[in-house]
Structures are given as structure tokens and as C-alpha cells.
Amino acid sequence: MTTDHWRSLGTTGVRVSPLTLGTMMFGAWGNTDHAESVRIIHRALDAGVNVVDTADVYARGESEEIVGRALKGRRDDVVLATKFHGAMSDDDPNQGGNSRRWVIREVESSLRRLQTDHIDIYQVHRPRPEADIDETLGALSDLVRQGKIRYIGTSTFLPSQIVEAQWVAERRHRERPVTEQPPYSILAREVERDVLPTAEKYGLGVLPWSPLAGGWLSGRYRRGEDAPVSSRQQRQPARHDPRSPENRRKLEAVYALQDLADEAGLSLIHLALAFVLEHPAVSSAIIGPRTMEQLESQLGVEKVTLPRDVLDRIDEIVPPGTTINDADRGYAPPALVDPDRRRIRR
């Protein structure tokens, strides 16, 4: 990868590769072969990827352990990101969330698993409305001053929550979040309405997750062929069961996008990744390969430029700002999930 392809991580001054290696599929959730997972990480680094993203909750620490093993001797070449928030225990409700108590404790566990003395981007994996954002930012600011983390990031925050975090940081003299990880793909474009413009306004680096829409844009679905069976259908039927009306609409869009990719002489994978990277707010798109073959199919996208007519055709298939299936939003505000939050209690 040449220096021409490096991109800015918001206004941090850090330069990042167009692709970020996401590691959710390394460990019990995907590839259980640690040695092969390490080889995949090394291949990505050798290809010029310089951002590695993981989370404590991915296989409850196993992914972080694999990443730590893979980065031995190469740590200084990588922008290393991890996240906290997800439940790390089935019994103790305090082993998770966004409280100061948990943040201060869990960062030590992540540092140990990652075999490093600092994390470059420590991210709040999801909002937790019952936890005051000042509580979380206060703990994270202390970690920045202690040198244990370099930057604060968020993931799947609503626009109002992004703004609130910036406001609280300014008013309370906290370190502010400098990155956001939203769900973004051709099939899930709602973040184009507010999240991405808000991130641009505040100079945030944007690291979209699921640019291949959880495998829908991997090229596996073709018109006239039976839809492949995926383990995700059992784990996340709302997003992946092709029998639901929302997912049938997604499937029709995928067929049209595959036809477009074929006409453009591209793989659907490169079409999907290049589309996400076209947005001026995006710093680097997170890919999550489980195998070496999947990684190889995604590398090289920095050489792809989508012509205006192809982008216009994409807009016709899935209009800007449209998310076909609400389940692909990644976060449901409690006010929509809990009826008691939108009704007067009598």
C-alpha cells in the first residue's frame, strides 16, 4: 500500500489504512484455530493494514488474546483499538457496562490479554443511557492521563449521544471522543442522515463496522440460486433469516447490486467496500474475515474508484439514508424497546 492511500483519522493527526482488521471472528465466535488467526492478522499487516480492532466481549477475551499474540514484535506499527461495555460474566451484572468501576477494572484485563502497556483507541462499545456519560468520560480521561490509553472512541452512538459526549467533555473538562464506529453499508445507510454529518462537524474519525452487511454483500447470494445456509440465521434471525419480509427486500437489493458489480467488472465485495470508503466522513472500513480466503477477497480495495454512474445506480437500488431492515441499525434506543418509557404510568 502506497502512502497515497493513507487516510486521516478525523482531526487526530493519525494516518490510517483504508481497511481496519476487525477480529470478532477470531476465537470461539468464528475461527477457533489460534495459529491460523495469527497468520491472517500477519497477512493483513503485511498488506498494509495498520489498524486492528477488537473488543473484550469477543469470545470473552479470546479475541484480544489472539491479537496480543499476533502483535508481538509488531505492536508499534499498529493503531490498536479495543472496546468495553459487553457483559463479561453471566452472574455478575457489574462485569460490563459503562461505569467508572468497570472501565478502570476492565482496561487492566484488556491490557493483559493484548500484552501491551497502552491501547491506542479505547471505545465505548454501546451507549448505556442509565450511566451518566460524564461518569464514563471521567474514567476514560483518567486513563489517558495515566498513559494507558491514547484516545477515546464510541461505537453505535446516536447523533444526540455523540453531541452530548462532546458537550460534556467541553463543559466538564474531560478528554473527548475522537472516533465513532457506526454500522454502515449499502444496505444500511441511515447513518448518512445524521451520524456521519455529525461526526464530520466534530472532526471525528469514522470506522464503520459491517460494510459487507454481515455477509449479505459477500457475493454468496445470486439470482436463481438457493440462498446459502448461514449459522448467523440461527444466531441473528432478525438480520439474516431470508424468509422475513425485511430480509427478502434486502435479498432483492443484493441481486440488483450483484448485477451492477458484474457490469462494472468488480466483485460485489469490492463494490460494497469502495462504496463505504467513498463517503468523505469515513476514515477506515472495518472488515471481519474468518478465513484467509475471506481476507484476500477484501484486500486491494484502495485501488478501486467507483465512477459516478455506478454510485448513482447504487442510490437507485438503495436510496441515500435508507436502512432496509431496522435490525441492521445495531442499537435500539430504550424508548423504542421499552413501552413504559413512552407511556404515562397509571
Side-chain angles (χ1 to χ4, degrees), residues 307-329:
R308 179 59 63 93
D309 64 313
V310 171
L311 291 168
D312 290 344
R313 288 276 301 280
I314 291 173
D315 287 349
E316 293 172 2
I317 296 168
V318 182
T322 300
T323 291
I324 297 175
N325 183 347
D326 285 348
D328 292 329
R329 289 174 172 171

Side-chain angles (χ1 to χ4, degrees), residues 4-237:
D4 294 342
H5 295 121
W6 296 112
R7 300 162 71 102
S8 295
L9 184 66
T11 56
T12 64
V14 175
R15 302 286 282 172
V16 295
S17 51
L19 295 180
T20 288
L21 180 66
T23 64
M24 185 176 74
M25 299 308 294
F26 299 152
W29 291 10
N31 191 334
T32 57
D33 186 331
H34 286 207
E36 183 183 8
S37 297
V38 168
R39 287 193 293 272
I40 294 170
I41 295 172
H42 287 171
R43 171 67 183 116
L45 300 184
D46 292 341
V49 173
N50 79 330
V51 189
V52 176
D53 177 78
T54 185
D56 59 353
V57 77
Y58 295 164
R60 287 199 172 163
E62 188 180 1
S63 170
E64 286 187 327
E65 290 173 352
I66 293 170
V67 170
R69 175 182 169 188
L71 295 186
K72 283 184 178 179
R74 308 185 70 164
R75 172 66 185 89
D76 290 343
D77 301 329
V78 170
V79 177
L80 178 58
T82 192
K83 300 180 283 290
F84 66 89
H85 165 90
M88 294 294 282
S89 169
D90 294 327
D91 304 314
D92 185 349
N94 288 315
Q95 290 192 33
N98 301 346
S99 69
R100 165 178 284 274
R101 181 180 186 272
W102 179 242
V103 171
I104 297 298
R105 173 181 171 182
E106 184 61 357
V107 73
E108 300 295 342
S109 297
S110 287
L111 288 169
R112 183 184 68 254
R113 289 188 291 257
L114 292 166
Q115 301 184 49
T116 186
D117 64 356
H118 71 281
I119 294 161
D120 293 306
I121 311 173
Y122 201 37
Q123 302 156 109
V124 190
H125 206 158
R126 289 292 188 277
R128 184 65 71 92
E130 66 272 22
D132 187 345
I133 189 64
D134 184 54
E135 165 101 356
T136 308
L137 291 180
L140 292 169
S141 297
D142 288 345
L143 295 178
V144 171
R145 297 185 192 103
Q146 293 167 16
K148 294 180 180 180
I149 67 176
R150 299 291 187 257
Y151 299 105
I152 298 168
T154 56
S155 177
T156 321
F157 271 41
L158 300 174
S160 60
Q161 293 165 330
I162 293 173
V163 173
E164 181 188 16
Q166 298 293 316
W167 186 90
V168 168
E170 180 181 341
R171 292 299 182 94
R172 305 285 177 80
H173 305 290
R174 309 299 194 190
E175 294 288 331
R176 73 181 187 95
V178 299
T179 62
E180 162 61 14
Q181 278 194 21
Y184 185 35
S185 71
I186 297 176
L187 303 181
R189 301 183 61 175
E190 184 175 349
V191 295
E192 293 172 341
R193 295 177 179 269
D194 288 313
V195 170
L196 297 183
T198 300
E200 281 190 289
K201 179 178 178 62
Y202 288 100
L204 305 186
V206 176
L207 307 165
W209 57 268
S210 203
L212 297 183
W216 284 89
L217 300 174
S218 65
R220 297 185 303 155
Y221 299 87
R222 285 188 171 270
R223 201 186 307 273
E225 299 180 5
D226 292 336
V229 177
S230 168
S231 61
R232 289 170 169 162
Q233 292 177 25
Q234 282 106 21
R235 297 199 314 268
Q236 296 177 314

